[in-house]
Amino acid sequence: MTLHSVLGNSEQNSESSVDVENCADMNWDELGFSPVPTDFMYVMKCAKGDEFSQGSLVPYGKIEFSPFATILNYGQGIFEGLKAYRTEDGRILLFRPEENARRMKIGADRLCMPSPSVDQFVTAVKQTAVANKRWVPPLGKGSLYIRPLLMGTGASLDVAPSPEYTLLIYCCPVTNYHKGSLNLKVESKFYRAISGTGGTGGIKSVTNYAPVYAATTAAKADGFSDVLFLDSATGKNIEEVAACNVFVVKGNSICTPETNGAILPGITRKSIIDIALDLGYQVMERAISVEEMLDADEVFCTGTAVVVNSVSSVTYKETRVEFKTGPETLSQKLRKTLVGIQTGCIEDTRGWTIRID
Ligand code: COI
């Protein structure tokens, strides 16, 4: 069976004929960014002081651990997010999984956890994606979001590293994280991360996410799509949106906050910098004040879940500034190139994709 579709602001922006024969029987047009149970998940355990070995696929389902587990009590946990894409001719591609493996190791070191080797991580992610391949959406309908979680699952009442760790990998078919372009509110009361290198803003600690809820819930109630956080040292420079990095464009130059310990070193962020440099843009990683952002030609966000999305407006205190959006923007050009590489529509000259089917 073939599906003929003209796609808007999805993970593919062109007309395509796609094979849906090998996909799960679900209404792919109704896909969102919410839990969909798949068939299998991957589990690998390790005692404190040991190394990870011998993980396996198990049927997707509930997990069990002690109420004393350090992930539950003290937030000893980090996660990753990466995606598998179906190509037009039915191949399945993973995007830069070794980058997630390396970032997980940095986060694990910070939270005193053992981590899987890059090889173990990539093998486990591949096995999870292959076992769930019927859940990789047809080209243009979304992607399979893969969520590796590394957590302290042993019992400890003491505020101390867990005696046992679990790498759990589950996955979920998803489409765009945000619906349409973003109207952001600059948050002046709450901060996402402590400035400088002493905090955990630069790793994907599970504890970095619930603290944004107060700001995002209030902003969404006021009609905003998300929140842009400022640095906690001066409250003057932009840092990050709740679940994605931010870029500003002025003329031929593109700037994004430097990864100074408080900013997540996003893999989409890094890929977009490389693509923009290749296209001849000047890219700078440096501090960006709110005022500089409000004076930009264009603002956009990047992330695995978000991909690349234009910002249509930013509201700071009483000032609302609108920005260019639509197919002619640089962000949409960058998005098209990135998604083209991820879905095998554009030649991958950098070896970013891994075929797994
Ligand atoms: C990702 O883009 O993978 C993220 O981690 C964002 C997520 C919190 C929705």
Side-chain angles (χ1 to χ4, degrees), residues 25-201:
D25 185 18
M26 70 175 279
N27 186 350
W28 295 104
D29 289 322
E30 284 186 2
L31 199 57
F33 198 92
S34 51
V36 175
T38 59
D39 299 326
F40 294 96
M41 58 190 195
Y42 183 96
V43 179
M44 181 157 59
K45 288 186 181 284
C46 165
K48 184 177 169 187
D50 281 353
E51 291 187 347
F52 277 100
S53 63
Q54 293 296 326
S56 60
L57 288 167
V58 296
Y60 172 86
K62 294 196 171 151
I63 53 171
E64 198 171 87
F65 40 70
S66 163
F68 290 100
T70 58
I71 177 73
L72 291 180
N73 294 271
Y74 304 125
Q76 194 187 19
I78 50 177
F79 70 88
E80 280 298 326
L82 67 162
K83 284 177 170 173
Y85 302 83
R86 197 177 288 273
T87 66
E88 189 158 16
D89 57 2
R91 288 170 294 138
I92 294 176
L93 303 178
L94 273 179
F95 188 69
R96 309 190 79 177
E98 67 299 330
E99 289 291 334
N100 297 86
R102 286 193 268 270
R103 190 169 65 181
M104 174 170 268
K105 171 150 182 37
I106 294 167
D109 289 347
R110 174 69 179 83
L111 297 190
C112 297
M113 299 192 284
S115 54
S117 67
V118 171
D119 205 39
Q120 284 173 321
F121 179 98
V122 173
T123 303
V125 164
K126 278 186 190 168
Q127 284 184 20
T128 312
V130 169
N132 292 293
K133 76 178 182 191
R134 71 191 187 100
W135 295 102
V136 183
L139 175 66
K141 299 291 173 187
S143 54
L144 185 71
Y145 184 73
I146 303 168
R147 174 55 70 81
L149 264 165
L150 178 63
M151 51 196 172
T153 44
S156 172
L157 193 53
D158 195 6
V159 181
S162 171
E164 184 207 75
Y165 295 88
T166 302
L167 172 71
L168 170 73
I169 307 178
Y170 67 91
C171 55
C172 177
V174 297
T175 183
N176 298 322
Y177 183 75
H178 292 113
K179 304 239 174 311
S181 57
L182 301 168
N183 62 330
L184 298 178
K185 177 190 172 192
V186 179
E187 175 60 41
S188 316
K189 179 175 168 200
F190 297 112
Y191 298 97
R192 176 190 166 271
I194 298 170
S195 294
T197 51
T200 57

Side-chain angles (χ1 to χ4, degrees), residues 240-251:
E240 209 170 306
V241 178
C244 49
N245 295 118
V246 64
F247 285 74
V248 303
V249 183
K250 184 84 180 172

Side-chain angles (χ1 to χ4, degrees), residues 184-186 224 290-291 293-294 313-322:
L184 298 178
K185 177 190 172 192
V186 179
F224 293 101
V290 182
E291 285 71 24
M293 177 191 57
L294 295 178
S313 76
V314 174
T315 301
Y316 179 53
K317 299 187 173 155
E318 302 310 314
T319 309
R320 177 184 164 105
V321 175
E322 307 215 330

Side-chain angles (χ1 to χ4, degrees), residues 251-277:
N252 197 41
S253 91
I254 305 175
C255 294
T256 190
E258 65 203 315
T259 53
N260 55 3
I263 310 271
L264 186 80
I267 294 158
T268 309
R269 172 187 181 279
K270 182 171 168 170
S271 308
I272 285 298
I273 290 175
D274 286 347
I275 292 171
L277 287 169

